[in-house]
Amino acid sequence: MECVSSTEDKPRTGILNLDVLSCPICVEPFTIPIFQCDNGHLACSSCCPKLRNKCPSCSWPVGHSRCRAMETVLESISIPCQNAGFGCTTKLIYGEESTHEKTCTFSPCSCPVKDCNYTGSCKDVYVHYKNLIHPNPQSTSQRYRVRCGESFSVKMNISDNLVIGTLYKERLLFTVQSFRKSYGVYVIVSCIAPSSPKVGKFSYCITYTIDGHSITYKSPELKKIQRVSFHTPQENYMLIANSSLHGESLEMRICIKKEKRDKTNDIKGPHQCVQKKKLFKKKKVLIRSEERS
């Protein structure tokens, strides 16, 4: 790893062996806190309990004294997110990359159109698809442009397997897929996005009607995927039995909803509300007294 230090004259570059930044026991990157025994041997916070707080190198107790010097070294190392090329500007402390990158909004997604190799952030993939780069992305020649909370009709051939649409306000793509099996057809709706809380949480409902009879499936979660998979889904799907099918065509109504953010933690306690009211009244009295004077 290349390191840069600045002096009054000019910056200097050096090479750092990343092995020294990893726990010698589990060989995973150090994260704060870091512990040391009286002889200076290091161990990460996860390994100390596993070792019963006994240093494997010298048998001295470990897990009580922190190595502030090594923690300072970690804090001084700034690493760009591996998704920087897709727009992420977050700078990370060494060892925290994997935690951030699991939920990074800029994690790369693939265009769902068959034989397209485009990769980018979910917003970039949306723009790529929306700008008619694929004038006829599916055999049904339909583009579904929908609003969250409003139901829309979808007609697809089971053999097509895939229909693509846009949630234009959220600037996201969604897919509707069908999978034929010996006992019926699986139908699943997914969103092309990383599993980042910033993307939002969505639910969906599918209604399939034939000969006046309706089958409705409600899913509490619209699964986020970074790449379209053509494997039979294991969860969050609707199963339409063969006896309810009418030829090779599926006509359904689908509604995708965006779940509201839970504001429970934002609610203040009763005593805080009372204090705010008193403060407001106090300010009101002060303003009146100033006006009189």
Side-chain angles (χ1 to χ4, degrees), residues 207-252:
T207 301
Y208 173 75
T209 303
I210 183 171
D211 298 331
H213 298 280
S214 295
I215 303 170
T216 298
Y217 172 77
K218 294 182 179 180
S219 173
E221 183 179 3
L222 180 69
K223 188 177 180 180
K224 300 186 186 81
I225 58 174
Q226 291 175 242
R227 178 187 296 272
V228 170
S229 169
F230 292 96
H231 296 291
T232 305
Q234 301 298 315
E235 57 184 1
N236 293 358
Y237 60 83
M238 179 173 76
L239 176 60
I240 305 173
N242 285 328
S243 58
S244 299
L245 294 173
H246 184 69
E248 285 295 314
S249 178
L250 287 177
E251 292 189 37
M252 304 166 289

Side-chain angles (χ1 to χ4, degrees), residues 99-168:
T99 303
H100 164 78
E101 286 160 4
K102 285 177 183 176
T103 58
C104 179
T105 311
F106 295 91
S107 293
C109 297
S110 298
C111 177
V113 176
K114 187 179 179 181
D115 299 327
C116 178
N117 296 320
Y118 181 84
T119 302
S121 68
C122 58
K123 304 299 182 186
D124 289 340
V125 172
Y126 170 87
V127 173
H128 161 82
Y129 178 85
K130 181 174 174 289
N131 286 346
L132 298 178
I133 294 174
H134 300 296
N136 185 17
Q138 61 245 17
S139 62
T140 52
S141 300
Q142 297 182 64
R143 283 176 174 268
Y144 295 92
R145 184 174 181 266
V146 303
R147 289 177 179 268
C148 279
E150 296 181 4
S151 64
F152 56 98
S153 179
V154 171
K155 184 176 181 180
M156 64 185 295
N157 294 323
I158 298 172
S159 57
D160 289 341
N161 191 260
L162 176 69
V163 161
I164 305 167
T166 60
L167 296 170
Y168 71 94

Side-chain angles (χ1 to χ4, degrees), residues 153-291:
S153 179
V154 171
K155 184 176 181 180
M156 64 185 295
N157 294 323
I158 298 172
S159 57
D160 289 341
N161 191 260
L162 176 69
V163 161
I164 305 167
T166 60
L167 296 170
Y168 71 94
K169 188 175 180 181
E170 288 73 21
R171 297 174 64 81
L172 294 170
L173 296 183
F174 69 88
T175 61
V176 183
Q177 291 180 269
S178 59
F179 300 84
R180 182 182 280 283
K181 295 297 175 181
S182 57
Y183 39 83
V185 174
Y186 289 85
V187 180
I188 186 169
V189 184
S190 306
C191 176
I192 304 295
S195 56
S196 169
K198 292 182 180 179
V199 174
K201 184 178 179 182
F202 301 84
S203 61
Y204 73 92
C205 175
I206 306 175
T207 301
Y208 173 75
T209 303
I210 183 171
D211 298 331
H213 298 280
S214 295
I215 303 170
T216 298
Y217 172 77
K218 294 182 179 180
S219 173
E221 183 179 3
L222 180 69
K223 188 177 180 180
K224 300 186 186 81
I225 58 174
Q226 291 175 242
R227 178 187 296 272
V228 170
S229 169
F230 292 96
H231 296 291
T232 305
Q234 301 298 315
E235 57 184 1
N236 293 358
Y237 60 83
M238 179 173 76
L239 176 60
I240 305 173
N242 285 328
S243 58
S244 299
L245 294 173
H246 184 69
E248 285 295 314
S249 178
L250 287 177
E251 292 189 37
M252 304 166 289
R253 289 202 69 81
I254 298 175
C255 182
I256 299 173
K257 291 183 178 180
K258 187 172 184 178
E259 302 300 307
K260 293 182 179 179
R261 185 172 66 88
D262 185 4
K263 296 183 179 180
T264 306
N265 296 329
D266 300 337
I267 298 175
K268 306 296 181 182
H271 64 286
Q272 290 174 302
C273 294
V274 171
Q275 287 178 351
K276 281 189 174 182
K277 285 181 180 178
K278 286 181 179 179
L279 184 63
F280 179 74
K281 287 181 179 178
K282 191 175 180 180
K283 284 183 178 179
K284 216 170 182 180
V285 171
L286 286 172
I287 291 170
R288 285 177 179 173
S289 61
E290 287 175 1
E291 287 176 349

Side-chain angles (χ1 to χ4, degrees), residues 38-56:
D38 290 346
N39 284 324
H41 299 125
L42 303 179
C44 68
S45 57
S46 300
C47 285
C48 291
K50 296 175 185 177
L51 299 168
R52 297 183 180 180
N53 297 98
K54 188 176 182 179
C55 177

Side-chain angles (χ1 to χ4, degrees), residues 92-103:
L92 306 163
I93 295 175
Y94 181 81
E96 295 183 353
E97 311 98 290
S98 59
T99 303
H100 164 78
E101 286 160 4
K102 285 177 183 176
T103 58

